[in-house]
mmCIF file of all heavy atoms in Angstrom:
data_model
loop_
_atom_site.group_PDB
_atom_site.id
_atom_site.type_symbol
_atom_site.label_atom_id
_atom_site.label_comp_id
_atom_site.label_asym_id
_atom_site.label_seq_id
_atom_site.Cartn_x
_atom_site.Cartn_y
_atom_site.Cartn_z
ATOM 1 N N GLU A 271 -53.259 -106.093 -25.035
ATOM 2 C CA GLU A 271 -53.627 -105.076 -23.982
ATOM 3 C C GLU A 271 -52.419 -104.309 -23.578
ATOM 4 O O GLU A 271 -52.378 -103.854 -22.389
ATOM 5 C CB GLU A 271 -54.291 -105.788 -22.802
ATOM 6 C CG GLU A 271 -55.613 -106.422 -23.319
ATOM 7 C CD GLU A 271 -56.366 -107.161 -22.156
ATOM 8 O OE1 GLU A 271 -55.801 -107.352 -21.014
ATOM 9 O OE2 GLU A 271 -57.460 -107.597 -22.374
ATOM 10 N N MET A 272 -51.442 -104.160 -24.369
ATOM 11 C CA MET A 272 -50.212 -103.402 -24.011
ATOM 12 C C MET A 272 -50.463 -101.989 -23.564
ATOM 13 O O MET A 272 -49.742 -101.392 -22.807
ATOM 14 C CB MET A 272 -49.226 -103.397 -25.161
ATOM 15 C CG MET A 272 -48.612 -104.893 -25.434
ATOM 16 S SD MET A 272 -47.526 -105.406 -24.079
ATOM 17 C CE MET A 272 -46.220 -104.216 -24.100
ATOM 18 N N TYR A 273 -51.554 -101.313 -24.033
ATOM 19 C CA TYR A 273 -51.883 -99.949 -23.717
ATOM 20 C C TYR A 273 -52.900 -99.691 -22.619
ATOM 21 O O TYR A 273 -53.265 -98.731 -22.365
ATOM 22 C CB TYR A 273 -52.356 -99.198 -24.961
ATOM 23 C CG TYR A 273 -51.345 -99.141 -26.065
ATOM 24 C CD1 TYR A 273 -51.077 -100.208 -26.993
ATOM 25 C CD2 TYR A 273 -50.533 -97.994 -26.252
ATOM 26 C CE1 TYR A 273 -50.083 -100.086 -27.981
ATOM 27 C CE2 TYR A 273 -49.522 -97.893 -27.228
ATOM 28 C CZ TYR A 273 -49.390 -98.979 -28.122
ATOM 29 O OH TYR A 273 -48.432 -98.925 -29.105
ATOM 30 N N ARG A 274 -53.259 -100.904 -22.014
ATOM 31 C CA ARG A 274 -54.264 -100.762 -20.959
ATOM 32 C C ARG A 274 -53.780 -100.030 -19.781
ATOM 33 O O ARG A 274 -52.756 -100.175 -19.360
ATOM 34 C CB ARG A 274 -54.594 -102.245 -20.509
ATOM 35 C CG ARG A 274 -55.808 -102.405 -19.664
ATOM 36 C CD ARG A 274 -56.318 -103.835 -19.592
ATOM 37 N NE ARG A 274 -57.171 -103.992 -18.478
ATOM 38 C CZ ARG A 274 -56.961 -104.641 -17.422
ATOM 39 N NH1 ARG A 274 -55.814 -105.290 -17.294
ATOM 40 N NH2 ARG A 274 -57.870 -104.685 -16.404
ATOM 41 N N GLY A 275 -54.636 -99.155 -19.336
ATOM 42 C CA GLY A 275 -54.292 -98.157 -18.276
ATOM 43 C C GLY A 275 -54.222 -96.737 -18.748
ATOM 44 O O GLY A 275 -54.272 -95.739 -17.853
ATOM 45 N N HIS A 276 -54.314 -96.412 -20.051
ATOM 46 C CA HIS A 276 -54.454 -95.016 -20.548
ATOM 47 C C HIS A 276 -55.901 -94.806 -20.956
ATOM 48 O O HIS A 276 -56.449 -95.456 -21.704
ATOM 49 C CB HIS A 276 -53.688 -94.881 -21.932
ATOM 50 C CG HIS A 276 -52.163 -94.895 -21.697
ATOM 51 N ND1 HIS A 276 -51.508 -94.146 -20.733
ATOM 52 C CD2 HIS A 276 -51.208 -95.566 -22.260
ATOM 53 C CE1 HIS A 276 -50.191 -94.358 -20.845
ATOM 54 N NE2 HIS A 276 -49.989 -95.190 -21.813
ATOM 55 N N TYR A 277 -56.523 -93.720 -20.420
ATOM 56 C CA TYR A 277 -57.972 -93.475 -20.665
ATOM 57 C C TYR A 277 -58.257 -92.054 -21.120
ATOM 58 O O TYR A 277 -59.458 -91.752 -21.416
ATOM 59 C CB TYR A 277 -58.768 -93.936 -19.537
ATOM 60 C CG TYR A 277 -58.547 -95.387 -19.143
ATOM 61 C CD1 TYR A 277 -57.987 -95.661 -17.932
ATOM 62 C CD2 TYR A 277 -58.889 -96.381 -20.055
ATOM 63 C CE1 TYR A 277 -57.675 -97.032 -17.621
ATOM 64 C CE2 TYR A 277 -58.566 -97.652 -19.771
ATOM 65 C CZ TYR A 277 -57.997 -98.027 -18.517
ATOM 66 O OH TYR A 277 -57.757 -99.307 -18.209
ATOM 67 N N ASN A 278 -57.387 -91.116 -21.191
ATOM 68 C CA ASN A 278 -57.545 -89.908 -21.860
ATOM 69 C C ASN A 278 -58.827 -89.169 -21.506
ATOM 70 O O ASN A 278 -59.472 -88.658 -22.427
ATOM 71 C CB ASN A 278 -57.353 -89.993 -23.296
ATOM 72 C CG ASN A 278 -55.928 -90.567 -23.714
ATOM 73 O OD1 ASN A 278 -55.102 -90.593 -22.879
ATOM 74 N ND2 ASN A 278 -55.900 -90.978 -24.896
ATOM 75 N N GLY A 279 -59.216 -89.148 -20.205
ATOM 76 C CA GLY A 279 -60.452 -88.335 -19.815
ATOM 77 C C GLY A 279 -61.700 -89.107 -20.003
ATOM 78 O O GLY A 279 -62.717 -88.511 -19.651
ATOM 79 N N HIS A 280 -61.740 -90.306 -20.629
ATOM 80 C CA HIS A 280 -63.003 -90.966 -20.853
ATOM 81 C C HIS A 280 -63.367 -91.802 -19.586
ATOM 82 O O HIS A 280 -62.483 -92.241 -18.858
ATOM 83 C CB HIS A 280 -62.974 -91.903 -21.912
ATOM 84 C CG HIS A 280 -62.920 -91.114 -23.309
ATOM 85 N ND1 HIS A 280 -64.142 -91.062 -23.996
ATOM 86 C CD2 HIS A 280 -61.941 -90.563 -24.013
ATOM 87 C CE1 HIS A 280 -63.843 -90.365 -25.135
ATOM 88 N NE2 HIS A 280 -62.473 -90.029 -25.199
ATOM 89 N N SER A 281 -64.614 -91.902 -19.242
ATOM 90 C CA SER A 281 -65.048 -92.636 -18.090
ATOM 91 C C SER A 281 -64.919 -94.078 -18.214
ATOM 92 O O SER A 281 -64.830 -94.810 -17.179
ATOM 93 C CB SER A 281 -66.577 -92.228 -17.850
ATOM 94 O OG SER A 281 -67.383 -92.608 -18.903
ATOM 95 N N GLU A 282 -64.903 -94.568 -19.462
ATOM 96 C CA GLU A 282 -64.786 -96.052 -19.617
ATOM 97 C C GLU A 282 -63.334 -96.472 -19.222
ATOM 98 O O GLU A 282 -62.394 -95.835 -19.528
ATOM 99 C CB GLU A 282 -64.985 -96.460 -21.087
ATOM 100 C CG GLU A 282 -66.482 -96.173 -21.537
ATOM 101 C CD GLU A 282 -67.354 -97.247 -20.947
ATOM 102 O OE1 GLU A 282 -66.909 -98.257 -20.412
ATOM 103 O OE2 GLU A 282 -68.564 -97.029 -21.033
ATOM 104 N N ARG A 283 -63.296 -97.633 -18.653
ATOM 105 C CA ARG A 283 -62.088 -98.242 -18.261
ATOM 106 C C ARG A 283 -62.079 -99.592 -19.025
ATOM 107 O O ARG A 283 -63.010 -100.371 -18.974
ATOM 108 C CB ARG A 283 -62.004 -98.449 -16.714
ATOM 109 C CG ARG A 283 -61.855 -97.199 -15.977
ATOM 110 C CD ARG A 283 -60.531 -96.314 -16.432
ATOM 111 N NE ARG A 283 -60.426 -95.105 -15.617
ATOM 112 C CZ ARG A 283 -60.782 -93.914 -16.131
ATOM 113 N NH1 ARG A 283 -61.479 -93.796 -17.271
ATOM 114 N NH2 ARG A 283 -60.554 -92.833 -15.446
ATOM 115 N N VAL A 284 -60.908 -99.895 -19.574
ATOM 116 C CA VAL A 284 -60.860 -101.143 -20.384
ATOM 117 C C VAL A 284 -60.699 -102.341 -19.535
ATOM 118 O O VAL A 284 -59.675 -102.520 -18.824
ATOM 119 C CB VAL A 284 -59.601 -101.095 -21.367
ATOM 120 C CG1 VAL A 284 -59.546 -102.300 -22.198
ATOM 121 C CG2 VAL A 284 -59.705 -99.865 -22.336
ATOM 122 N N MET A 285 -61.697 -103.240 -19.601
ATOM 123 C CA MET A 285 -61.661 -104.506 -18.899
ATOM 124 C C MET A 285 -60.690 -105.427 -19.621
ATOM 125 O O MET A 285 -60.414 -105.145 -20.764
ATOM 126 C CB MET A 285 -63.057 -105.120 -18.815
ATOM 127 C CG MET A 285 -64.105 -104.267 -18.165
ATOM 128 S SD MET A 285 -65.766 -104.999 -18.308
ATOM 129 C CE MET A 285 -65.539 -106.544 -17.377
ATOM 130 N N SER A 286 -60.243 -106.402 -19.006
ATOM 131 C CA SER A 286 -59.368 -107.381 -19.677
ATOM 132 C C SER A 286 -60.349 -108.530 -20.329
ATOM 133 O O SER A 286 -61.216 -108.955 -19.606
ATOM 134 C CB SER A 286 -58.410 -108.043 -18.744
ATOM 135 O OG SER A 286 -57.667 -108.993 -19.376
#
Side-chain angles (χ1 to χ4, degrees):
E271 298 181 351
M272 290 295 294
Y273 295 83
R274 192 164 165 248
H276 290 311
Y277 303 114
N278 300 345
H280 286 263
S281 60
E282 290 290 347
R283 294 296 182 264
V284 179
M285 300 174 65
S286 175

